[in-house]
């Protein structure tokens, strides 16, 4: 029986990494994924060989056809540094004019398609380079490592984490997550004092659910987290990729911004009384959800003229993979009976009830991460925050936070701080430790403070 925290089982989400390229996918038996950048570098990968292996395992890609590969687990990665045999004293006489490689791009492409291993392709490239032998040993190792990332047919299966997902999104397109880097995300969680057993609220738009996933990961299975959203559906892509269990998802509830409860003394009292009843309500809703799932029913709630489906167990449609005729497994063996896990553990009505009781009972911390101007959103949500407790607002732009700084200061907020995070990676190698040449341009801006009760 595989350990779901350490091993890859059917239906788990993994981060497939080849060199610097990363992609998330759900491992299903008999299903193949399209991997690689668009163009000639794109190929199809069958992941059946990863089932039962531990996270972090490396796999060798074995060619089945021109663009179809299967994977076989390997214990150790191929050592490429034995390619370096002779080296020069310095690089002063090397001219980087792009003509040092004798092989044309077409010939290199033919080498890859001929069935040679990654090491053999790199060996051929170094032999046909007119400047390789005259480079220093450091330069040769750098050249080999660069070619290894491109031609070596080895992939690694990683367990999804906040750092991996953040780096993956940031490498693909920083604007996709509003320039939210992992160091900025860690500061948001720290300033908001997110911890297990607390009651928190988050408004997130434009960052693929990374902030919500980070808060949920810190809280574990204790506490309450309300995600407030605008539009038809909440942003929770990163939450779905983190392999959270149903018990962990019980902490999370959703409410539309247009359905926020009215705040007055009566509602606050009712909200505090409802806190003691949350545990009983959660147990009842869990039993109802399990019965609904077993019967295969779909709960449909009408909202704003549109039907939203909740608590649905969707069966994964099988994507037929090309497999070799020789030694092919019977069709019945490859067939997957896995059912995709449910995204929502409650119905929409139950989510609104739970979220309203948490907000009316007042929350311990508030986090807002959005692209739009945050002044009106922050003013609306600050009334649910306990006096003296922290709030954090993230924006990819400085000017909206400057306007918000003046607004919340006029309302009596204290300990206000507007900051920009700066990050630079370092290369740490023997005899050549230095800052990396390229670095990110920016990681967004953070405004944090504490609410003061107005008289």
């Amino acid at each position: 029986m595989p350990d779901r925290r350490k091993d890859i089982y059917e239906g788990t989400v993994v981060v497939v990494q080849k060199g610097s390229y990363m992609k998330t996918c759900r491992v299903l038996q008999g299903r193949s994924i399209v991997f690689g950048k668009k163009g000639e570098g794109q190929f199809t990968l069958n992941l059946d060989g990863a089932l039962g292996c531990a996270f972090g395992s490396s796999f060798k890609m074995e060619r089945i056809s021109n663009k179809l590969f299967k994977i076989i687990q390997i214990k150790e990665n191929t050592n490429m540094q034995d390619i370096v045999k002779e080296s020069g004293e310095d690089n002063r006489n090397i001219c980087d004019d792009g003509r040092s490689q004798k092989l044309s791009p077409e010939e290199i492409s033919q080498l890859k398609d001929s069935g040679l291993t990654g090491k053999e392709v790199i060996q051929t490239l170094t032999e046909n380079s007119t400047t390789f032998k005259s480079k220093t040993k450091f330069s040769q190792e750098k050249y080999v490592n660069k070619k290894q990332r491109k031609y070596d047919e080895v992939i690694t299966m990683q367990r999804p984490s906040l750092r991996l997902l953040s780096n993956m999104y940031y490498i693909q397109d920083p604007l996709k997550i509003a320039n939210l880097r992992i160091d900025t995300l860690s500061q948001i969680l720290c300033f908001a004092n997110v911890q297990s057993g607390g009651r928190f609220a988050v408004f997130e738009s434009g960052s693929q659910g990374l902030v919500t996933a980070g808060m949920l990961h810190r809280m574990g299975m204790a506490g309450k987290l309300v995600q407030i959203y605008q539009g038809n559906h909440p942003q929770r892509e990163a939450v779905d990729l983190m392999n959270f269990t149903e018990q962990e998802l019980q902490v999370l509830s959703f409410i539309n911004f247009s359905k926020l409860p009215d705040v007055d003394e009566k509602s606050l009292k009712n909200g505090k009384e409802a806190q003691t009843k949350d545990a009983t309500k959660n147990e009842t809703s869990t039993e109802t959800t399990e019965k609904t799932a077993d019967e295969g029913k779909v709960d449909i709630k009408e909202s704003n003229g549109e039907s939203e489906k909740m608590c649905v167990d969707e069966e994964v449609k099988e994507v037929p993979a090309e497999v070799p005729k020789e030694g092919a497994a019977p069709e019945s063996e490859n067939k997957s009976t896995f059912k995709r896990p449910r995204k929502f553990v409650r119905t929409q009505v139950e989510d609104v009830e739970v979220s309203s009781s948490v907000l009316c009972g007042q929350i311990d911390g508030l986090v807002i991460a959005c692209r739009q101007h945050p002044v009106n959103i922050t003013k609306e949500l600050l009334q649910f925050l306990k006096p003296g407790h922290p709030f954090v607002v993230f924006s990819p732009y400085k000017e909206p936070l400057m306007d918000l700084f003046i607004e919340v200061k006029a309302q009596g907020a204290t300990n206000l701080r507007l900051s920009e995070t700066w990050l630079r990676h370092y290369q740490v190698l023997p005899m050549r430790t230095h800052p990396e040449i390229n670095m990110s341009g920016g990681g967004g801006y953070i405004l944090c403070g504490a609410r003061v009760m107005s008289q």
Side-chain angles (χ1 to χ4, degrees):
M1 189 71 180
D3 187 346
R4 290 182 172 248
R5 289 292 182 183
K6 298 180 180 179
D7 299 334
I8 301 172
Y9 57 92
E10 187 171 14
T12 188
V13 177
V14 297
V15 178
V16 186
Q17 184 172 1
K18 183 178 183 292
S20 60
Y21 181 81
M22 291 184 287
K23 180 178 181 178
T24 57
C25 66
R26 193 178 294 276
V27 180
L28 297 173
Q29 189 169 359
R31 180 179 179 182
S32 298
I33 65 165
V34 177
F35 191 80
K37 298 180 181 179
K38 292 183 179 180
E40 295 183 358
Q42 201 169 61
F43 54 89
T44 306
L45 197 60
N46 186 279
L47 302 179
D48 289 356
L51 292 173
C53 298
F55 285 111
S57 300
S58 296
F59 301 86
K60 181 181 179 182
M61 297 163 49
E62 188 173 297
R63 189 184 299 271
I64 296 176
S65 62
N66 186 27
K67 291 289 184 179
L68 177 62
F69 294 83
K70 65 179 182 180
I71 57 175
I72 302 174
Q73 186 179 12
I74 56 176
K75 299 299 182 182
E76 296 181 359
N77 290 338
T78 306
N79 182 20
M80 296 287 184
Q81 297 307 322
D82 55 0
I83 295 176
V84 179
K85 296 178 181 179
E86 301 179 24
S87 59
E89 295 182 359
D90 54 56
N91 299 331
R92 71 178 69 182
N93 297 321
I94 296 177
C95 181
D96 188 13
D97 55 5
R99 295 183 292 181
S100 59
Q101 182 57 249
K102 298 177 183 178
L103 298 178
S104 64
E106 292 76 16
E107 291 173 329
I108 296 175
S109 180
Q110 290 176 3
L111 283 177
K112 292 171 58 180
D113 297 337
S114 64
L116 294 179
T117 63
K119 185 174 183 178
E120 291 172 340
V121 172
I122 298 172
Q123 181 77 49
T124 306
L125 291 175
T126 57
E127 291 174 353
N128 287 274
S129 175
T130 59
T131 59
F132 183 77
K133 291 183 179 180
S134 59
K135 290 182 177 180
T136 62
K137 186 178 180 180
F138 290 159
S139 297
Q140 289 177 340
E141 291 178 0
K142 186 176 180 181
Y143 178 87
V144 171
N145 289 334
K146 180 181 178 181
K147 298 302 179 185
Q148 182 179 2
R149 290 192 296 267
K150 185 173 183 180
Y151 297 110
D152 192 22
E153 296 178 342
V154 174
I155 63 171
T156 305
M157 298 278 192
Q158 304 280 3
R159 179 185 174 187
S161 65
L162 290 174
R163 180 177 291 274
L164 276 177
L165 294 179
S166 177
N167 290 340
M168 181 188 71
Y169 285 130
Y170 202 89
I171 290 173
Q172 291 175 355
D173 184 8
L175 295 179
K176 189 176 182 181
I177 55 172
N179 290 328
L180 178 64
R181 284 197 314 250
I182 184 63
D183 60 308
T184 309
L185 177 58
S186 63
Q187 290 190 60
I188 291 174
L189 300 179
C190 180
F191 289 146
N193 195 25
V194 180
Q195 56 185 304
S196 179
R199 300 162 64 86
F200 300 92
V202 55
F203 179 92
E204 183 175 10
S205 65
S207 53
Q208 306 300 318
L210 274 175
V211 179
T212 305
M215 297 179 70
L216 189 59
H217 181 261
R218 273 206 177 189
M219 295 178 66
M221 292 184 286
K224 294 292 182 182
L225 176 61
V226 179
Q227 184 180 7
I228 305 163
Y229 65 96
Q230 288 181 327
N232 295 328
H233 303 285
Q235 290 193 0
R236 48 170 297 159
E237 182 177 337
V239 175
D240 297 334
L241 296 176
M242 284 289 289
N243 292 322
F244 288 124
T245 63
E246 186 169 336
Q247 289 75 18
E248 290 172 312
L249 291 176
Q250 287 285 350
V251 175
L252 181 62
S253 61
F254 305 91
I255 187 171
N256 195 293
F257 193 85
S258 61
K259 296 183 179 180
L260 290 175
D262 295 329
V263 178
D264 51 31
E265 292 184 4
K266 183 178 179 181
S267 64
L268 289 177
K269 290 180 181 179
N270 294 336
K272 291 178 181 178
E273 292 174 359
Q275 291 181 23
T276 59
K277 301 179 182 179
D278 279 346
T280 307
K281 285 188 176 183
N282 286 342
E283 290 177 4
T284 306
S285 64
T286 303
E287 292 175 2
T288 306
T289 304
E290 289 176 355
K291 290 180 181 179
T292 307
D294 293 337
E295 296 172 3
K297 293 181 180 179
V298 178
D299 294 334
I300 302 178
K301 303 295 178 183
E302 299 292 333
S303 174
N304 298 328
E306 297 182 359
S307 62
E308 299 182 5
K309 297 185 178 181
M310 300 286 197
C311 290
V312 184
D313 280 343
E314 300 176 294
E315 293 189 3
V316 174
K317 295 183 179 179
E318 233 180 293
V319 180
E322 299 178 21
V323 293
K325 293 183 179 179
E326 296 183 4
E331 187 176 347
S332 59
E333 294 182 8
N334 288 334
K335 193 171 182 180
S336 173
T337 58
F338 170 77
K339 291 185 177 181
R340 189 181 297 274
R342 288 174 288 122
K343 288 187 175 182
F344 300 92
V345 296
R346 305 181 188 87
T347 63
Q348 187 185 30
V349 172
E350 291 170 339
D351 262 334
V352 172
E353 291 178 356
V354 172
S355 300
S356 297
S357 65
V358 173
L359 293 174
C360 289
Q362 294 198 301
I363 52 179
D364 301 320
L366 172 65
V367 176
I368 299 173
C370 59
R371 295 177 184 271
Q372 59 264 49
H373 206 288
V375 169
N376 293 333
I377 296 172
T378 306
K379 289 172 63 177
E380 184 71 22
L381 297 181
L382 273 180
Q383 58 187 335
F384 299 110
L385 182 64
K386 293 179 181 178
H389 285 251
F391 65 90
V392 182
V393 184
F394 168 82
S395 176
Y397 315 108
K398 177 176 59 177
E399 290 75 16
L401 294 185
M402 294 173 65
D403 296 339
L404 180 61
F405 185 100
I406 298 173
E407 188 71 27
V408 294
K409 187 176 182 179
Q411 292 185 359
T414 185
N415 292 337
L416 292 175
R417 175 184 174 187
L418 177 58
S419 61
E420 176 188 9
T421 58
W422 190 82
L423 176 70
R424 189 169 191 179
H425 293 279
Y426 275 73
Q427 171 186 288
V428 181
L429 291 172
M431 304 291 293
R432 50 213 152 129
T433 297
H434 59 77
E436 291 189 358
I437 306 302
N438 297 323
M439 60 176 289
S440 60
Y445 301 85
I446 296 176
L447 174 63
C448 60
R451 183 195 174 198
V452 176
M453 192 71 173
S454 58
Q455 296 181 350

